[in-house]
Amino acid sequence: MIKILYIIFVIFLNLVSEVINAKFPSLNKESKIIGGTEIPINIAKYQVSVRLKTLENQYGYGRGHLCGGSVITQRLVLTAAHCVTNSNLNVPVARNPKELTVVMGSILLYHRLPNNLQYNVQQVIQHANFNTTTLVNDIALLFLNGYIPWNWPTVTAIPIQSKAVLVDTMCTVTGWGRMANGQTSKVLLAGQVPIIKYMECSQNYGILPQSMLCAGYMRGGIDACQGDSGGPLECNRQLVGIVSWGNGCAEPGNPGVYTNVSDFYKWILNVNSSLNYTYYSDASSIVSNTSIFIAALTAIRNLFNWIFC
């Protein structure tokens, strides 16, 4: 009976998602990811917002946004290592997983909607050789303290690229980062950028390791910016890069530098195989038919709050 109700709920939520997308078609027509445009969530259902709980609790929903990230399994999010590093200490260290929360399922950063999913983080796994100065090996995995339902209408995983992509391949970078006007975007934005040759990228950056790649335009104009870090660079429906660093944002001669996901393909597989998908640090996070039904009821309550508030 619970399964039937849940199926009905998911169908209902799909319809609600269409209504929500219609209600927020142009929150900010001038919004840009530095040369980007607003997109519906169906374009990037793997996109997440990684948030700091203390800021979220102190300033409100969405105000704790630190970085982007990508769903790659039902409990695993891929992001940049510098996103989950506490740099305010004399010796930077990885943040405690209890400090973080991950939100997905909507293009809106500051509005809680019925199709949002939110999870605590059970484990933060930074690459052991991450260098906070050079940003070499700028990659981390967040093991969620909960299970993402694969039939959720606005969330899905993105496959990870196992081989290097060709130069000039057109890709899409997404995020809620800083725009040309210096403000953080309220909606999810996307920019189209090509993969750049290493030698061309090295003109201003020096020789880069194979664990990094460049994407963008040498003339500038389109790029990720602060707040987009950790987010996805998608090429041909595969996760190719992780927003990592660059000199400024969209400046001539300074394209975006990304963590090269294919260079860490085996590392990701090895970490994933070492994780216990049946263990939850909080027993209430274990997904069962009952907990899914409760989640459905909670989402319906959020829907009514959203409609009537």
Side-chain angles (χ1 to χ4, degrees):
M1 181 62 181
I2 290 177
K3 286 185 178 179
I4 295 174
L5 290 174
Y6 179 67
I7 292 171
I8 294 172
F9 166 73
V10 170
I11 296 173
F12 168 72
L13 192 57
N14 271 292
L15 297 174
V16 170
S17 298
E18 296 299 324
V19 174
I20 291 171
N21 286 334
K23 183 169 182 177
F24 294 97
S26 56
L27 275 178
N28 187 347
K29 292 183 179 179
E30 298 302 315
S31 294
K32 301 291 180 184
I33 194 177
I34 312 294
T37 55
E38 180 183 331
I39 59 170
I41 192 59
N42 289 340
I43 300 297
K45 294 197 287 186
Y46 45 82
Q47 174 83 47
V48 309
S49 169
V50 180
R51 305 181 181 186
L52 195 59
K53 287 182 180 179
T54 53
L55 296 180
E56 196 87 344
N57 294 335
Q58 185 175 358
Y59 298 109
Y61 188 82
R63 304 293 174 179
H65 175 76
L66 291 176
C67 285
S70 305
V71 175
I72 60 171
T73 77
Q74 286 185 285
R75 291 190 64 183
L76 211 53
V77 166
L78 188 65
T79 189
H82 79 263
C83 288
V84 291
T85 297
N86 189 343
S87 300
N88 297 322
L89 304 176
N90 291 332
V91 179
V93 296
R95 289 191 178 276
N96 188 306
K98 293 182 179 179
E99 296 181 76
L100 303 171
T101 185
V102 177
V103 178
M104 61 194 75
S106 171
I107 65 169
L108 304 178
L109 186 62
Y110 300 119
H111 290 77
R112 191 193 308 272
L113 298 178
N115 50 351
N116 280 127
L117 292 175
Q118 184 166 0
Y119 297 91
N120 289 327
V121 176
Q122 181 167 302
Q123 189 175 354
V124 174
I125 307 119
Q126 278 188 338
H127 194 283
N129 296 321
F130 169 57
N131 188 307
T132 57
T133 302
T134 63
L135 295 185
V136 171
N137 301 313
D138 191 14
I139 188 169
L141 289 164
L142 305 181
F143 193 45
L144 304 180
N145 195 25
Y147 224 79
I148 301 170
W150 257 190
N151 54 356
W152 201 259
T154 58
V155 178
T156 193
I158 181 171
I160 53 178
Q161 181 74 25
S162 60
K163 297 180 180 180
V165 296
L166 298 176
V167 170
D168 294 330
T169 299
M170 289 303 298
C171 305
T172 302
V173 57
T174 52
W176 291 275
R178 190 173 298 175
M179 303 174 294
N181 61 11
Q183 298 179 352
T184 299
S185 177
K186 299 177 181 178
V187 295
L188 187 62
L189 304 174
Q192 304 296 315
V193 291
I195 301 295
I196 295 178
K197 295 178 182 178
Y198 274 94
M199 291 304 296
E200 189 174 10
C201 187
S202 67
Q203 291 176 12
N204 287 342
Y205 291 144
I207 301 300
L208 298 176
Q210 291 296 313
S211 60
M212 298 179 183
L213 62 83
C214 293
Y217 297 92
M218 295 304 291
R219 67 176 184 272
I222 301 178
D223 195 7
C225 203
Q226 286 83 7
D228 293 318
S229 288
L233 178 71
E234 172 267 325
C235 313
N236 300 320
R237 300 182 182 179
Q238 301 272 322
L239 183 60
V240 169
I242 303 168
V243 179
S244 183
W245 63 278
N247 289 339
C249 302
E251 295 182 1
N254 295 283
V257 181
Y258 299 77
T259 302
N260 185 358
V261 170
S262 65
D263 206 56
F264 296 93
Y265 183 76
K266 290 184 179 179
W267 178 81
I268 295 170
L269 294 184
N270 288 338
V271 172
N272 184 53
S273 64
S274 71
L275 298 171
N276 184 353
Y277 272 69
T278 64
Y279 173 75
Y280 298 83
S281 58
D282 179 359
S284 64
S285 296
I286 298 176
V287 172
S288 61
N289 288 336
T290 303
S291 63
I292 288 176
F293 183 56
I294 292 173
L297 292 177
T298 301
I300 292 173
R301 182 194 64 189
N302 289 341
L303 170 64
F304 279 98
N305 289 337
W306 171 73
I307 292 175
F308 296 110
C309 290

